[in-house]
Amino acid sequence: MDAILRQSYLSKIERYLGKDTIVILTGQRRIGKSYILRLFRDKVNKDTKANVIFIDKEKHEFDNIKTYKDLNAYIDEHRNKKNTNFILIDEVQDIEEFEKSVRSYYEEPDIEIVVTGSNSKMLSSDLSTLIGGRYKEIYIQALSYTEFMLFHQLPDSDETLSKYIQFGGLPGLVKMGLDEQDAREYQLDVYHTVLLKDVIMRNNIRNVPFLENLVRFIADNSGKIVSANSIAKYMKSQGDSVTSTVIINYIKFLCDAYLIHKVNRYDIHGKKLFESNDKFYFEDSGLRNALAGGSREGDVEKAIENIVYNHLVRLGFEVTVGQLQAGEIDFVCKNPKGERLYVQASYIIADEATRKREFGNLRAIKDNYPKYVISMTPLVDRQDADGITHLHLRRFLTEGVK
C-alpha cells in the first residue's frame, strides 16, 4: 500500500520553516505523529541541499541517546553546515532534558527542528520555560472520516459511516483490518501502551487498578457532566476509596497524554465558564468503544457525540459545553475570529419529543449566531428551519458547517 499523505499536517509544518521556530507535533501515542514525521522526512530527502538527521526514540538503534548531551553529540556528528540540516526527533520527551539541545540549535541558520511528543506537559513546562514562544504546536488527531475512507479504501456511505463510528480513527487499523476482534485487540494494546508509558511511568502512579477503573468510568460516562466528587462517590461504592484531589490529578495525567479531553461548561446567558462539572471525550472514539465494551446499539449517541466533538476541534473551533437554565447545549463553538455557533448532536430524531428536546434548547438561545443539529436521521441531508440547520452526520464530517 502506498503512503497516504495527510497533507493538511504537512502543509502546517512547511508553513513554519525558516522562521526560527521549533515545530512540535503533539497528540496521543499511535495517532499518526510518527507517520507524518516520516512523510515529511521523505519529502525533505528529495532536496539535494537538505541534510536529514532523523532520530526515532522508539527504535533500539537510538537507545544510546538518553540525555541532551547524547543528543548534542549525535547531531554534531551528523551535521553538515554546507546544507540545511533538518533535525527530526520522534518521541522527544524520552530524551532527558531534551529542551536544552533544542534551545541550543534552533536559532542556527542551517537548522530546522521538527519533533513529536506524546505529553502536553512537555510543552507547558519543560520546553516553554526555556524558549518561551519560539515553538509552534501542531496537534495531530485521529483520522477524520474522509481520511478513514482513504486509508481503508471505502466509499462514502452509511455502511462506511457505521464502521467509522464503531472502529474510530487509529491509523494502525489499516494494517489490522476492520475485523471486530482484531481491531479491539489492537485498540486495547494502544490503550495499555499509552497508559503505561505516558501516564503511569511518567507520573510514577502506584494505584494502577484505580487508574484503570477511572478510565473505564470515563468511557462509560463519555459526554455526561461529571465532577471529581461524583466520581469519588461512585468509586467508593465499587470499593475504591480515593480523594477528589487524587481523581483530579489522575484526570489531568490522562489529559496530558491526550487520551481524553476535558471540556468545560459555558453559561450561555451569563457568558462565563463554570469551574467544576465537566464533560470528557476520548481522542479516539473507537478506543473509547473498546473500553466501554458491548455493542454500539446501547450507546450510539455517546459515540456520535464524541465524533462530533473531535471534528469540531479539527475544524479549528474552541469547544465548550453550553449551559442554559432550562437545559444543555452539547457544544458552544468559537472560531479564531471569535465568532460563535451552537451544535446539538443526536442519533435519530424520530419523534416529536426528541425534536423538541434537540431543537427546543437551541431556540431558547436568544442571539443570532448559527445553530446546528447534527444527526443520522434518514433522508436528512441538510434542512433549514427557524434559523436552525439540521445536518446529516455524513455531510458534517465531509463538508463541515457551511
Side-chain angles (χ1 to χ4, degrees), residues 182-229:
D182 291 343
R184 290 294 178 253
E185 287 180 359
Y186 175 74
Q187 288 163 334
L188 291 175
D189 284 345
V190 170
Y191 161 69
H192 286 115
T193 299
V194 173
L195 207 66
L196 176 63
K197 291 188 175 183
D198 299 320
V199 183
I200 296 170
M201 293 175 62
R202 186 172 179 90
N203 300 287
N204 298 314
I205 288 178
R206 297 179 180 179
N207 194 348
V208 175
F210 169 72
L211 175 67
E212 293 182 329
N213 286 338
L214 175 63
V215 178
R216 292 185 185 277
F217 174 87
I218 294 173
D220 288 338
N221 291 275
S222 177
K224 291 184 179 179
I225 291 177
V226 296
S227 67
N229 287 333

Side-chain angles (χ1 to χ4, degrees), residues 120-371:
S120 64
K121 185 180 178 182
M122 177 188 75
L123 294 177
S124 62
S125 59
D126 298 351
L127 191 56
S128 59
T129 300
L130 285 178
I131 64 171
R134 301 305 297 173
Y135 66 85
K136 178 61 183 179
E137 176 186 359
I138 299 175
Y139 167 44
I140 310 299
Q141 293 182 265
L143 298 180
S144 67
Y145 174 61
T146 53
E147 288 175 325
F148 178 85
M149 289 189 289
L150 186 62
F151 269 58
H152 294 280
Q153 300 180 12
L154 295 170
D156 182 14
S157 66
D158 287 342
E159 182 180 359
T160 298
L161 178 60
S162 295
K163 291 181 182 296
Y164 184 62
I165 292 171
Q166 180 180 9
F167 295 110
L170 289 179
L173 285 178
V174 71
K175 295 180 180 179
M176 304 299 298
L178 298 180
D179 172 78
E180 175 78 23
Q181 182 174 347
D182 291 343
R184 290 294 178 253
E185 287 180 359
Y186 175 74
Q187 288 163 334
L188 291 175
D189 284 345
V190 170
Y191 161 69
H192 286 115
T193 299
V194 173
L195 207 66
L196 176 63
K197 291 188 175 183
D198 299 320
V199 183
I200 296 170
M201 293 175 62
R202 186 172 179 90
N203 300 287
N204 298 314
I205 288 178
R206 297 179 180 179
N207 194 348
V208 175
F210 169 72
L211 175 67
E212 293 182 329
N213 286 338
L214 175 63
V215 178
R216 292 185 185 277
F217 174 87
I218 294 173
D220 288 338
N221 291 275
S222 177
K224 291 184 179 179
I225 291 177
V226 296
S227 67
N229 287 333
S230 65
I231 295 174
K233 289 179 181 178
Y234 172 79
M235 291 301 181
K236 187 175 182 179
S237 72
Q238 301 299 305
D240 283 320
S241 184
V242 294
T243 66
S244 297
T245 300
V246 170
I247 292 171
I248 291 170
N249 287 335
Y250 278 22
I251 286 175
K252 182 182 184 302
F253 299 152
L254 294 168
C255 291
D256 285 344
Y258 299 96
L259 185 66
I260 63 172
H261 301 287
K262 183 177 77 169
V263 184
N264 299 117
R265 286 192 304 156
Y266 179 80
D267 183 349
I268 293 174
H269 293 318
K271 298 182 179 180
K272 63 181 180 181
L273 284 174
F274 290 98
E275 296 181 354
S276 62
N277 298 342
D278 308 298
K279 283 189 175 185
F280 297 93
Y281 298 98
F282 278 74
E283 170 60 40
D284 179 64
S285 57
L287 196 153
R288 177 258 158 201
N289 295 341
L291 290 170
S295 68
R296 301 284 63 80
E297 294 178 6
D299 66 355
V300 66
E301 290 213 359
K302 295 179 185 177
I304 290 173
E305 192 172 325
N306 204 127
I307 287 170
V308 170
Y309 165 77
N310 283 330
H311 198 62
L312 288 167
V313 172
R314 186 177 290 111
L315 293 174
F317 290 105
E318 178 186 332
V319 183
T320 53
V321 178
Q323 187 67 42
L324 293 165
Q325 289 182 348
E328 177 189 298
I329 303 298
D330 287 335
F331 303 115
V332 180
C333 311
K334 187 167 63 174
N335 67 18
K337 296 180 180 179
E339 299 165 334
R340 194 186 307 168
L341 60 85
Y342 305 100
V343 174
Q344 289 282 71
S346 185
Y347 175 34
I348 292 176
I349 300 176
D351 54 47
E352 189 57 33
T354 306
R355 175 172 292 275
K356 184 176 180 180
R357 181 182 71 244
E358 303 295 356
F359 285 79
N361 286 352
L362 290 172
R363 291 193 180 99
I365 303 173
K366 303 304 181 182
D367 63 36
N368 294 320
Y369 290 113
K371 302 172 180 66

